[in-house]
Amino acid sequence: GDSVTQMEGPVTLSEEAFLTINCTYTATGYPSLFWYVQYPGEGLQLLLKATKADDKGSNKGFEATYRKETTSFHLEKGSVQVSDSAVYFCALIPSGGSYIPTFGRGTSLIVHP
Amino acid sequence: DTEVTQTPKHLVMGMTNKKSLKCEQHMGHRAMYWYKQKAKKPPELMFVYSYEKLSINESVPSRFSPECPNSSLLNLHLHALQPEDSALYLCASSPDRGPTDTQYFGPGTRLTVL
């Protein structure tokens, strides 16, 4: 079946540091890939998405590129802020079947001033 | 209107109570979802409605009963819950059920079962 693997957290950074959160997936065909962010006590918010190979999703300084050859969708940000502290979920929707999304385990990011 | 709303924000209920969670969207989306999320875990899919018809039930116990009265509204009726059902219940909607249809989530209802 489909699966999404995220790096285990928490990831702890100082403000203005560079962020990478790794995400790799297993799926047949060409799934769509998503990053969601969840702030404490809130629901999930879509951060960015990519629907085909080599697409780059970007939003609020975050970027991720759909790499079919490495089955990866790593999240990056050049300079994190304290307000970026949250849990980040990588997810996929398969290209066929029931279109049920598969989520990664989530990676907690803590940014210190 | 580009959001999914959920009420109530918090709910505390006993094991013999009957309560309902409500979810609403006015984006014209034709697919709606219920998820359960435990602390420090990803959301787990419970139900999917597509064009107001239940299309997926992920083997959820019958003490959870979904209802979709119209294309904008989704309810989750709760009865005789167990303490282990305490969790954040998230509603989501998407334009349709397809490989590129983004799901938009509500803020959730924090449920505590005593």
PDB file of all heavy atoms in Angstrom, chain A residues 38 41-42 44 87 89 103-106, chain B residues 35-46 63-64 81-90 109-113:
ATOM      1  N   GLN A  38       0.212  22.210  11.235  1.00  0.00           N
ATOM      2  CA  GLN A  38      -0.770  22.242  12.327  1.00  0.00           C
ATOM      3  C   GLN A  38      -0.163  22.984  13.507  1.00  0.00           C
ATOM      4  O   GLN A  38       0.789  22.512  14.125  1.00  0.00           O
ATOM      5  CB  GLN A  38      -1.175  20.824  12.734  1.00  0.00           C
ATOM      6  CG  GLN A  38      -2.294  20.800  13.760  1.00  0.00           C
ATOM      7  CD  GLN A  38      -2.815  19.392  14.026  1.00  0.00           C
ATOM      8  OE1 GLN A  38      -2.080  18.411  13.948  1.00  0.00           O
ATOM      9  NE2 GLN A  38      -4.101  19.278  14.329  1.00  0.00           N
ATOM     10  N   GLY A  41      -3.348  23.297  19.012  1.00  0.00           N
ATOM     11  CA  GLY A  41      -4.775  23.501  19.252  1.00  0.00           C
ATOM     12  C   GLY A  41      -5.589  23.826  18.019  1.00  0.00           C
ATOM     13  O   GLY A  41      -6.759  24.214  18.134  1.00  0.00           O
ATOM     14  N   GLU A  42      -5.013  23.670  16.834  1.00  0.00           N
ATOM     15  CA  GLU A  42      -5.736  24.022  15.608  1.00  0.00           C
ATOM     16  C   GLU A  42      -5.838  22.832  14.658  1.00  0.00           C
ATOM     17  O   GLU A  42      -5.262  21.770  14.903  1.00  0.00           O
ATOM     18  CB  GLU A  42      -5.033  25.185  14.905  1.00  0.00           C
ATOM     19  CG  GLU A  42      -5.004  26.465  15.737  1.00  0.00           C
ATOM     20  CD  GLU A  42      -4.409  27.626  14.972  1.00  0.00           C
ATOM     21  OE1 GLU A  42      -4.217  27.522  13.750  1.00  0.00           O
ATOM     22  OE2 GLU A  42      -4.134  28.658  15.626  1.00  0.00           O
ATOM     23  N   LEU A  44      -5.500  21.287  10.536  1.00  0.00           N
ATOM     24  CA  LEU A  44      -4.414  21.288   9.563  1.00  0.00           C
ATOM     25  C   LEU A  44      -4.670  22.370   8.514  1.00  0.00           C
ATOM     26  O   LEU A  44      -5.799  22.540   8.047  1.00  0.00           O
ATOM     27  CB  LEU A  44      -4.325  19.928   8.855  1.00  0.00           C
ATOM     28  CG  LEU A  44      -3.552  18.825   9.557  1.00  0.00           C
ATOM     29  CD1 LEU A  44      -4.276  18.338  10.787  1.00  0.00           C
ATOM     30  CD2 LEU A  44      -3.275  17.678   8.588  1.00  0.00           C
ATOM     31  N   VAL A  87       3.616  21.542  13.930  1.00  0.00           N
ATOM     32  CA  VAL A  87       3.835  20.184  13.422  1.00  0.00           C
ATOM     33  C   VAL A  87       3.553  20.191  11.924  1.00  0.00           C
ATOM     34  O   VAL A  87       2.529  20.732  11.487  1.00  0.00           O
ATOM     35  CB  VAL A  87       2.934  19.167  14.142  1.00  0.00           C
ATOM     36  CG1 VAL A  87       3.160  17.768  13.566  1.00  0.00           C
ATOM     37  CG2 VAL A  87       3.214  19.177  15.642  1.00  0.00           C
ATOM     38  N   PHE A  89       3.018  17.995   8.416  1.00  0.00           N
ATOM     39  CA  PHE A  89       2.629  16.693   7.894  1.00  0.00           C
ATOM     40  C   PHE A  89       2.821  16.654   6.388  1.00  0.00           C
ATOM     41  O   PHE A  89       2.316  17.530   5.667  1.00  0.00           O
ATOM     42  CB  PHE A  89       1.150  16.391   8.189  1.00  0.00           C
ATOM     43  CG  PHE A  89       0.836  16.146   9.632  1.00  0.00           C
ATOM     44  CD1 PHE A  89       0.357  17.177  10.437  1.00  0.00           C
ATOM     45  CD2 PHE A  89       1.007  14.890  10.194  1.00  0.00           C
ATOM     46  CE1 PHE A  89       0.056  16.955  11.769  1.00  0.00           C
ATOM     47  CE2 PHE A  89       0.710  14.668  11.531  1.00  0.00           C
ATOM     48  CZ  PHE A  89       0.243  15.706  12.323  1.00  0.00           C
ATOM     49  N   PHE A 103      -1.115  10.117   5.239  1.00  0.00           N
ATOM     50  CA  PHE A 103      -0.317  11.126   5.937  1.00  0.00           C
ATOM     51  C   PHE A 103       0.937  10.496   6.523  1.00  0.00           C
ATOM     52  O   PHE A 103       0.929   9.339   6.963  1.00  0.00           O
ATOM     53  CB  PHE A 103      -1.125  11.747   7.085  1.00  0.00           C
ATOM     54  CG  PHE A 103      -2.211  12.673   6.634  1.00  0.00           C
ATOM     55  CD1 PHE A 103      -3.475  12.179   6.323  1.00  0.00           C
ATOM     56  CD2 PHE A 103      -1.993  14.038   6.519  1.00  0.00           C
ATOM     57  CE1 PHE A 103      -4.491  13.033   5.898  1.00  0.00           C
ATOM     58  CE2 PHE A 103      -2.999  14.895   6.104  1.00  0.00           C
ATOM     59  CZ  PHE A 103      -4.244  14.387   5.789  1.00  0.00           C
ATOM     60  N   GLY A 104       2.015  11.289   6.571  1.00  0.00           N
ATOM     61  CA  GLY A 104       3.182  10.901   7.347  1.00  0.00           C
ATOM     62  C   GLY A 104       2.906  11.102   8.823  1.00  0.00           C
ATOM     63  O   GLY A 104       1.869  11.629   9.226  1.00  0.00           O
ATOM     64  N   ARG A 105       3.862  10.696   9.662  1.00  0.00           N
ATOM     65  CA  ARG A 105       3.689  10.737  11.103  1.00  0.00           C
ATOM     66  C   ARG A 105       3.680  12.149  11.675  1.00  0.00           C
ATOM     67  O   ARG A 105       3.258  12.354  12.802  1.00  0.00           O
ATOM     68  CB  ARG A 105       4.815   9.942  11.771  1.00  0.00           C
ATOM     69  CG  ARG A 105       6.178  10.578  11.546  1.00  0.00           C
ATOM     70  CD  ARG A 105       7.326   9.657  11.922  1.00  0.00           C
ATOM     71  NE  ARG A 105       7.300   9.293  13.319  1.00  0.00           N
ATOM     72  CZ  ARG A 105       8.100   8.383  13.851  1.00  0.00           C
ATOM     73  NH1 ARG A 105       8.964   7.743  13.090  1.00  0.00           N
ATOM     74  NH2 ARG A 105       8.029   8.100  15.113  1.00  0.00           N
ATOM     75  N   GLY A 106       4.163  13.119  10.907  1.00  0.00           N
ATOM     76  CA  GLY A 106       4.279  14.496  11.387  1.00  0.00           C
ATOM     77  C   GLY A 106       5.662  14.747  11.978  1.00  0.00           C
ATOM     78  O   GLY A 106       6.252  13.854  12.602  1.00  0.00           O
TER      79      GLY A 106
ATOM     80  N   TYR B  35     -12.255  13.035  10.230  1.00  0.00           N
ATOM     81  CA  TYR B  35     -11.025  12.432  10.714  1.00  0.00           C
ATOM     82  C   TYR B  35     -11.007  12.456  12.239  1.00  0.00           C
ATOM     83  O   TYR B  35     -11.558  13.353  12.856  1.00  0.00           O
ATOM     84  CB  TYR B  35      -9.801  13.225  10.247  1.00  0.00           C
ATOM     85  CG  TYR B  35      -9.443  13.108   8.787  1.00  0.00           C
ATOM     86  CD1 TYR B  35     -10.028  13.945   7.839  1.00  0.00           C
ATOM     87  CD2 TYR B  35      -8.488  12.195   8.364  1.00  0.00           C
ATOM     88  CE1 TYR B  35      -9.670  13.855   6.504  1.00  0.00           C
ATOM     89  CE2 TYR B  35      -8.123  12.101   7.030  1.00  0.00           C
ATOM     90  CZ  TYR B  35      -8.715  12.947   6.107  1.00  0.00           C
ATOM     91  OH  TYR B  35      -8.358  12.863   4.782  1.00  0.00           O
ATOM     92  N   LYS B  36     -10.261  11.516  12.805  1.00  0.00           N
ATOM     93  CA  LYS B  36      -9.981  11.496  14.235  1.00  0.00           C
ATOM     94  C   LYS B  36      -8.476  11.656  14.393  1.00  0.00           C
ATOM     95  O   LYS B  36      -7.706  10.987  13.696  1.00  0.00           O
ATOM     96  CB  LYS B  36     -10.437  10.161  14.833  1.00  0.00           C
ATOM     97  CG  LYS B  36     -10.045   9.942  16.282  1.00  0.00           C
ATOM     98  CD  LYS B  36     -10.505   8.556  16.739  1.00  0.00           C
ATOM     99  CE  LYS B  36     -10.094   8.249  18.155  1.00  0.00           C
ATOM    100  NZ  LYS B  36     -10.542   6.897  18.574  1.00  0.00           N
ATOM    101  N   GLN B  37      -8.074  12.543  15.295  1.00  0.00           N
ATOM    102  CA  GLN B  37      -6.644  12.742  15.520  1.00  0.00           C
ATOM    103  C   GLN B  37      -6.319  12.655  17.005  1.00  0.00           C
ATOM    104  O   GLN B  37      -6.804  13.458  17.801  1.00  0.00           O
ATOM    105  CB  GLN B  37      -6.183  14.088  14.964  1.00  0.00           C
ATOM    106  CG  GLN B  37      -4.670  14.264  15.031  1.00  0.00           C
ATOM    107  CD  GLN B  37      -4.190  15.610  14.514  1.00  0.00           C
ATOM    108  OE1 GLN B  37      -4.907  16.589  14.544  1.00  0.00           O
ATOM    109  NE2 GLN B  37      -2.950  15.638  14.025  1.00  0.00           N
ATOM    110  N   LYS B  38      -5.473  11.711  17.350  1.00  0.00           N
ATOM    111  CA  LYS B  38      -4.952  11.598  18.707  1.00  0.00           C
ATOM    112  C   LYS B  38      -3.687  12.451  18.813  1.00  0.00           C
ATOM    113  O   LYS B  38      -3.040  12.767  17.809  1.00  0.00           O
ATOM    114  CB  LYS B  38      -4.630  10.142  19.032  1.00  0.00           C
ATOM    115  CG  LYS B  38      -5.851   9.237  19.083  1.00  0.00           C
ATOM    116  CD  LYS B  38      -6.666   9.472  20.335  1.00  0.00           C
ATOM    117  CE  LYS B  38      -6.903   8.220  21.099  1.00  0.00           C
ATOM    118  NZ  LYS B  38      -7.703   8.451  22.319  1.00  0.00           N
ATOM    119  N   ALA B  39      -3.337  12.773  20.055  1.00  0.00           N
ATOM    120  CA  ALA B  39      -2.195  13.661  20.289  1.00  0.00           C
ATOM    121  C   ALA B  39      -0.919  13.100  19.665  1.00  0.00           C
ATOM    122  O   ALA B  39      -0.626  11.901  19.792  1.00  0.00           O
ATOM    123  CB  ALA B  39      -1.994  13.856  21.787  1.00  0.00           C
ATOM    124  N   LYS B  40      -0.196  13.978  18.976  1.00  0.00           N
ATOM    125  CA  LYS B  40       1.103  13.652  18.372  1.00  0.00           C
ATOM    126  C   LYS B  40       1.005  12.564  17.300  1.00  0.00           C
ATOM    127  O   LYS B  40       1.985  11.853  17.037  1.00  0.00           O
ATOM    128  CB  LYS B  40       2.113  13.238  19.440  1.00  0.00           C
ATOM    129  CG  LYS B  40       2.347  14.305  20.498  1.00  0.00           C
ATOM    130  CD  LYS B  40       3.488  13.929  21.404  1.00  0.00           C
ATOM    131  CE  LYS B  40       3.629  14.875  22.590  1.00  0.00           C
ATOM    132  NZ  LYS B  40       3.868  16.262  22.182  1.00  0.00           N
ATOM    133  N   LYS B  41      -0.176  12.433  16.689  1.00  0.00           N
ATOM    134  CA  LYS B  41      -0.379  11.454  15.628  1.00  0.00           C
ATOM    135  C   LYS B  41      -0.969  12.143  14.399  1.00  0.00           C
ATOM    136  O   LYS B  41      -1.569  13.209  14.520  1.00  0.00           O
ATOM    137  CB  LYS B  41      -1.343  10.349  16.083  1.00  0.00           C
ATOM    138  CG  LYS B  41      -0.846   9.531  17.252  1.00  0.00           C
ATOM    139  CD  LYS B  41       0.292   8.629  16.847  1.00  0.00           C
ATOM    140  CE  LYS B  41       0.675   7.705  17.979  1.00  0.00           C
ATOM    141  NZ  LYS B  41       1.842   6.865  17.625  1.00  0.00           N
ATOM    142  N   PRO B  42      -0.857  11.523  13.224  1.00  0.00           N
ATOM    143  CA  PRO B  42      -1.530  12.097  12.055  1.00  0.00           C
ATOM    144  C   PRO B  42      -3.032  11.833  12.114  1.00  0.00           C
ATOM    145  O   PRO B  42      -3.483  10.965  12.872  1.00  0.00           O
ATOM    146  CB  PRO B  42      -0.887  11.342  10.884  1.00  0.00           C
ATOM    147  CG  PRO B  42      -0.440  10.052  11.470  1.00  0.00           C
ATOM    148  CD  PRO B  42      -0.047  10.343  12.883  1.00  0.00           C
ATOM    149  N   PRO B  43      -3.813  12.557  11.326  1.00  0.00           N
ATOM    150  CA  PRO B  43      -5.262  12.292  11.293  1.00  0.00           C
ATOM    151  C   PRO B  43      -5.541  10.902  10.728  1.00  0.00           C
ATOM    152  O   PRO B  43      -4.856  10.441   9.818  1.00  0.00           O
ATOM    153  CB  PRO B  43      -5.787  13.375  10.344  1.00  0.00           C
ATOM    154  CG  PRO B  43      -4.698  14.356  10.172  1.00  0.00           C
ATOM    155  CD  PRO B  43      -3.429  13.667  10.432  1.00  0.00           C
ATOM    156  N   GLU B  44      -6.584  10.266  11.279  1.00  0.00           N
ATOM    157  CA  GLU B  44      -7.045   8.970  10.772  1.00  0.00           C
ATOM    158  C   GLU B  44      -8.416   9.163  10.127  1.00  0.00           C
ATOM    159  O   GLU B  44      -9.339   9.675  10.766  1.00  0.00           O
ATOM    160  CB  GLU B  44      -7.213   7.969  11.916  1.00  0.00           C
ATOM    161  CG  GLU B  44      -5.974   7.652  12.701  1.00  0.00           C
ATOM    162  CD  GLU B  44      -6.307   6.802  13.935  1.00  0.00           C
ATOM    163  OE1 GLU B  44      -7.302   6.043  13.875  1.00  0.00           O
ATOM    164  OE2 GLU B  44      -5.594   6.917  14.942  1.00  0.00           O
ATOM    165  N   LEU B  45      -8.542   8.741   8.896  1.00  0.00           N
ATOM    166  CA  LEU B  45      -9.805   8.903   8.184  1.00  0.00           C
ATOM    167  C   LEU B  45     -10.888   8.018   8.804  1.00  0.00           C
ATOM    168  O   LEU B  45     -10.656   6.843   9.096  1.00  0.00           O
ATOM    169  CB  LEU B  45      -9.625   8.540   6.709  1.00  0.00           C
ATOM    170  CG  LEU B  45     -10.832   8.764   5.818  1.00  0.00           C
ATOM    171  CD1 LEU B  45     -11.157  10.249   5.691  1.00  0.00           C
ATOM    172  CD2 LEU B  45     -10.583   8.143   4.444  1.00  0.00           C
ATOM    173  N   MET B  46     -12.084   8.622   8.985  1.00  0.00           N
ATOM    174  CA  MET B  46     -13.232   7.859   9.500  1.00  0.00           C
ATOM    175  C   MET B  46     -14.261   7.636   8.392  1.00  0.00           C
ATOM    176  O   MET B  46     -14.658   6.513   8.109  1.00  0.00           O
ATOM    177  CB  MET B  46     -13.881   8.611  10.655  1.00  0.00           C
ATOM    178  CG  MET B  46     -12.966   8.879  11.832  1.00  0.00           C
ATOM    179  SD  MET B  46     -13.755   9.912  13.082  1.00  0.00           S
ATOM    180  CE  MET B  46     -14.957   8.782  13.785  1.00  0.00           C
ATOM    181  N   ARG B  63     -21.020   3.457  17.230  1.00  0.00           N
ATOM    182  CA  ARG B  63     -21.317   4.543  18.161  1.00  0.00           C
ATOM    183  C   ARG B  63     -21.032   5.916  17.519  1.00  0.00           C
ATOM    184  O   ARG B  63     -21.393   6.956  18.065  1.00  0.00           O
ATOM    185  CB  ARG B  63     -20.535   4.384  19.462  1.00  0.00           C
ATOM    186  CG  ARG B  63     -19.043   4.289  19.319  1.00  0.00           C
ATOM    187  CD  ARG B  63     -18.422   3.988  20.693  1.00  0.00           C
ATOM    188  NE  ARG B  63     -16.969   3.971  20.665  1.00  0.00           N
ATOM    189  CZ  ARG B  63     -16.258   2.890  20.469  1.00  0.00           C
ATOM    190  NH1 ARG B  63     -16.848   1.723  20.264  1.00  0.00           N
ATOM    191  NH2 ARG B  63     -14.920   2.960  20.475  1.00  0.00           N
ATOM    192  N   PHE B  64     -20.362   5.901  16.362  1.00  0.00           N
ATOM    193  CA  PHE B  64     -20.178   7.105  15.543  1.00  0.00           C
ATOM    194  C   PHE B  64     -21.104   6.984  14.329  1.00  0.00           C
ATOM    195  O   PHE B  64     -20.990   6.018  13.562  1.00  0.00           O
ATOM    196  CB  PHE B  64     -18.734   7.235  15.055  1.00  0.00           C
ATOM    197  CG  PHE B  64     -17.732   7.433  16.145  1.00  0.00           C
ATOM    198  CD1 PHE B  64     -17.104   6.350  16.744  1.00  0.00           C
ATOM    199  CD2 PHE B  64     -17.408   8.714  16.583  1.00  0.00           C
ATOM    200  CE1 PHE B  64     -16.171   6.539  17.753  1.00  0.00           C
ATOM    201  CE2 PHE B  64     -16.471   8.911  17.583  1.00  0.00           C
ATOM    202  CZ  PHE B  64     -15.853   7.817  18.176  1.00  0.00           C
ATOM    203  N   LEU B  81     -20.123   6.688  23.817  1.00  0.00           N
ATOM    204  CA  LEU B  81     -18.690   6.672  23.533  1.00  0.00           C
ATOM    205  C   LEU B  81     -17.878   6.149  24.702  1.00  0.00           C
ATOM    206  O   LEU B  81     -18.369   6.082  25.841  1.00  0.00           O
ATOM    207  CB  LEU B  81     -18.218   8.087  23.171  1.00  0.00           C
ATOM    208  CG  LEU B  81     -18.773   8.688  21.880  1.00  0.00           C
ATOM    209  CD1 LEU B  81     -17.997   9.940  21.523  1.00  0.00           C
ATOM    210  CD2 LEU B  81     -18.746   7.698  20.745  1.00  0.00           C
ATOM    211  N   GLN B  82     -16.643   5.797  24.419  1.00  0.00           N
ATOM    212  CA  GLN B  82     -15.704   5.292  25.413  1.00  0.00           C
ATOM    213  C   GLN B  82     -14.622   6.345  25.674  1.00  0.00           C
ATOM    214  O   GLN B  82     -14.354   7.183  24.806  1.00  0.00           O
ATOM    215  CB  GLN B  82     -15.057   4.011  24.903  1.00  0.00           C
ATOM    216  CG  GLN B  82     -16.049   2.917  24.523  1.00  0.00           C
ATOM    217  CD  GLN B  82     -16.852   2.479  25.732  1.00  0.00           C
ATOM    218  OE1 GLN B  82     -16.296   2.153  26.768  1.00  0.00           O
ATOM    219  NE2 GLN B  82     -18.185   2.462  25.593  1.00  0.00           N
ATOM    220  N   PRO B  83     -13.976   6.289  26.822  1.00  0.00           N
ATOM    221  CA  PRO B  83     -12.912   7.265  27.094  1.00  0.00           C
ATOM    222  C   PRO B  83     -11.824   7.291  26.017  1.00  0.00           C
ATOM    223  O   PRO B  83     -11.267   8.354  25.719  1.00  0.00           O
ATOM    224  CB  PRO B  83     -12.362   6.815  28.453  1.00  0.00           C
ATOM    225  CG  PRO B  83     -13.526   6.161  29.120  1.00  0.00           C
ATOM    226  CD  PRO B  83     -14.283   5.470  28.017  1.00  0.00           C
ATOM    227  N   GLU B  84     -11.564   6.147  25.399  1.00  0.00           N
ATOM    228  CA  GLU B  84     -10.519   6.114  24.355  1.00  0.00           C
ATOM    229  C   GLU B  84     -10.935   6.836  23.081  1.00  0.00           C
ATOM    230  O   GLU B  84     -10.114   7.017  22.162  1.00  0.00           O
ATOM    231  CB  GLU B  84     -10.111   4.670  24.021  1.00  0.00           C
ATOM    232  CG  GLU B  84     -11.223   3.789  23.520  1.00  0.00           C
ATOM    233  CD  GLU B  84     -11.875   2.964  24.620  1.00  0.00           C
ATOM    234  OE1 GLU B  84     -11.863   3.408  25.796  1.00  0.00           O
ATOM    235  OE2 GLU B  84     -12.400   1.879  24.292  1.00  0.00           O
ATOM    236  N   ASP B  85     -12.202   7.259  23.001  1.00  0.00           N
ATOM    237  CA  ASP B  85     -12.660   8.049  21.864  1.00  0.00           C
ATOM    238  C   ASP B  85     -12.307   9.531  22.012  1.00  0.00           C
ATOM    239  O   ASP B  85     -12.536  10.321  21.088  1.00  0.00           O
ATOM    240  CB  ASP B  85     -14.177   7.913  21.677  1.00  0.00           C
ATOM    241  CG  ASP B  85     -14.594   6.490  21.347  1.00  0.00           C
ATOM    242  OD1 ASP B  85     -13.857   5.817  20.591  1.00  0.00           O
ATOM    243  OD2 ASP B  85     -15.645   6.043  21.862  1.00  0.00           O
ATOM    244  N   SER B  86     -11.776   9.897  23.162  1.00  0.00           N
ATOM    245  CA  SER B  86     -11.342  11.283  23.368  1.00  0.00           C
ATOM    246  C   SER B  86     -10.247  11.606  22.356  1.00  0.00           C
ATOM    247  O   SER B  86      -9.256  10.869  22.237  1.00  0.00           O
ATOM    248  CB  SER B  86     -10.814  11.470  24.788  1.00  0.00           C
ATOM    249  OG  SER B  86     -11.824  11.224  25.729  1.00  0.00           O
ATOM    250  N   ALA B  87     -10.436  12.708  21.620  1.00  0.00           N
ATOM    251  CA  ALA B  87      -9.506  13.055  20.539  1.00  0.00           C
ATOM    252  C   ALA B  87      -9.941  14.383  19.941  1.00  0.00           C
ATOM    253  O   ALA B  87     -10.965  14.960  20.333  1.00  0.00           O
ATOM    254  CB  ALA B  87      -9.490  11.986  19.455  1.00  0.00           C
ATOM    255  N   LEU B  88      -9.177  14.841  18.966  1.00  0.00           N
ATOM    256  CA  LEU B  88      -9.566  15.995  18.144  1.00  0.00           C
ATOM    257  C   LEU B  88     -10.256  15.444  16.896  1.00  0.00           C
ATOM    258  O   LEU B  88      -9.695  14.595  16.195  1.00  0.00           O
ATOM    259  CB  LEU B  88      -8.334  16.804  17.751  1.00  0.00           C
ATOM    260  CG  LEU B  88      -8.556  18.065  16.907  1.00  0.00           C
ATOM    261  CD1 LEU B  88      -9.296  19.127  17.713  1.00  0.00           C
ATOM    262  CD2 LEU B  88      -7.226  18.611  16.402  1.00  0.00           C
ATOM    263  N   TYR B  89     -11.481  15.892  16.648  1.00  0.00           N
ATOM    264  CA  TYR B  89     -12.218  15.436  15.476  1.00  0.00           C
ATOM    265  C   TYR B  89     -12.201  16.547  14.430  1.00  0.00           C
ATOM    266  O   TYR B  89     -12.660  17.664  14.672  1.00  0.00           O
ATOM    267  CB  TYR B  89     -13.644  15.026  15.866  1.00  0.00           C
ATOM    268  CG  TYR B  89     -13.628  13.722  16.612  1.00  0.00           C
ATOM    269  CD1 TYR B  89     -13.377  13.688  17.978  1.00  0.00           C
ATOM    270  CD2 TYR B  89     -13.791  12.514  15.948  1.00  0.00           C
ATOM    271  CE1 TYR B  89     -13.285  12.488  18.672  1.00  0.00           C
ATOM    272  CE2 TYR B  89     -13.715  11.311  16.625  1.00  0.00           C
ATOM    273  CZ  TYR B  89     -13.451  11.304  17.979  1.00  0.00           C
ATOM    274  OH  TYR B  89     -13.350  10.106  18.651  1.00  0.00           O
ATOM    275  N   LEU B  90     -11.644  16.193  13.286  1.00  0.00           N
ATOM    276  CA  LEU B  90     -11.439  17.156  12.215  1.00  0.00           C
ATOM    277  C   LEU B  90     -12.379  16.867  11.062  1.00  0.00           C
ATOM    278  O   LEU B  90     -12.547  15.710  10.658  1.00  0.00           O
ATOM    279  CB  LEU B  90      -9.994  17.092  11.703  1.00  0.00           C
ATOM    280  CG  LEU B  90      -8.908  17.516  12.681  1.00  0.00           C
ATOM    281  CD1 LEU B  90      -7.543  17.053  12.198  1.00  0.00           C
ATOM    282  CD2 LEU B  90      -8.926  19.015  12.869  1.00  0.00           C
ATOM    283  N   THR B 109     -12.956  19.793  16.615  1.00  0.00           N
ATOM    284  CA  THR B 109     -13.662  19.762  17.904  1.00  0.00           C
ATOM    285  C   THR B 109     -12.857  18.880  18.835  1.00  0.00           C
ATOM    286  O   THR B 109     -12.591  17.718  18.522  1.00  0.00           O
ATOM    287  CB  THR B 109     -15.078  19.183  17.757  1.00  0.00           C
ATOM    288  OG1 THR B 109     -15.882  20.065  16.992  1.00  0.00           O
ATOM    289  CG2 THR B 109     -15.707  18.973  19.134  1.00  0.00           C
ATOM    290  N   ARG B 110     -12.463  19.452  19.981  1.00  0.00           N
ATOM    291  CA  ARG B 110     -11.728  18.684  20.993  1.00  0.00           C
ATOM    292  C   ARG B 110     -12.742  17.971  21.859  1.00  0.00           C
ATOM    293  O   ARG B 110     -13.478  18.602  22.605  1.00  0.00           O
ATOM    294  CB  ARG B 110     -10.866  19.634  21.822  1.00  0.00           C
ATOM    295  CG  ARG B 110     -10.125  18.986  22.966  1.00  0.00           C
ATOM    296  CD  ARG B 110      -8.936  18.192  22.507  1.00  0.00           C
ATOM    297  NE  ARG B 110      -7.970  19.009  21.773  1.00  0.00           N
ATOM    298  CZ  ARG B 110      -6.920  18.496  21.136  1.00  0.00           C
ATOM    299  NH1 ARG B 110      -6.714  17.206  21.130  1.00  0.00           N
ATOM    300  NH2 ARG B 110      -6.090  19.294  20.506  1.00  0.00           N
ATOM    301  N   LEU B 111     -12.802  16.649  21.756  1.00  0.00           N
ATOM    302  CA  LEU B 111     -13.779  15.841  22.486  1.00  0.00           C
ATOM    303  C   LEU B 111     -13.127  15.125  23.653  1.00  0.00           C
ATOM    304  O   LEU B 111     -12.089  14.472  23.489  1.00  0.00           O
ATOM    305  CB  LEU B 111     -14.407  14.797  21.548  1.00  0.00           C
ATOM    306  CG  LEU B 111     -15.343  13.786  22.202  1.00  0.00           C
ATOM    307  CD1 LEU B 111     -16.600  14.481  22.705  1.00  0.00           C
ATOM    308  CD2 LEU B 111     -15.703  12.671  21.228  1.00  0.00           C
ATOM    309  N   THR B 112     -13.748  15.254  24.810  1.00  0.00           N
ATOM    310  CA  THR B 112     -13.315  14.518  26.000  1.00  0.00           C
ATOM    311  C   THR B 112     -14.470  13.669  26.481  1.00  0.00           C
ATOM    312  O   THR B 112     -15.573  14.189  26.716  1.00  0.00           O
ATOM    313  CB  THR B 112     -12.877  15.480  27.122  1.00  0.00           C
ATOM    314  OG1 THR B 112     -11.832  16.320  26.632  1.00  0.00           O
ATOM    315  CG2 THR B 112     -12.373  14.693  28.336  1.00  0.00           C
ATOM    316  N   VAL B 113     -14.242  12.369  26.606  1.00  0.00           N
ATOM    317  CA  VAL B 113     -15.257  11.434  27.087  1.00  0.00           C
ATOM    318  C   VAL B 113     -14.880  10.994  28.495  1.00  0.00           C
ATOM    319  O   VAL B 113     -13.789  10.448  28.711  1.00  0.00           O
ATOM    320  CB  VAL B 113     -15.374  10.205  26.168  1.00  0.00           C
ATOM    321  CG1 VAL B 113     -16.480   9.271  26.670  1.00  0.00           C
ATOM    322  CG2 VAL B 113     -15.651  10.635  24.734  1.00  0.00           C
TER     323      VAL B 113
END
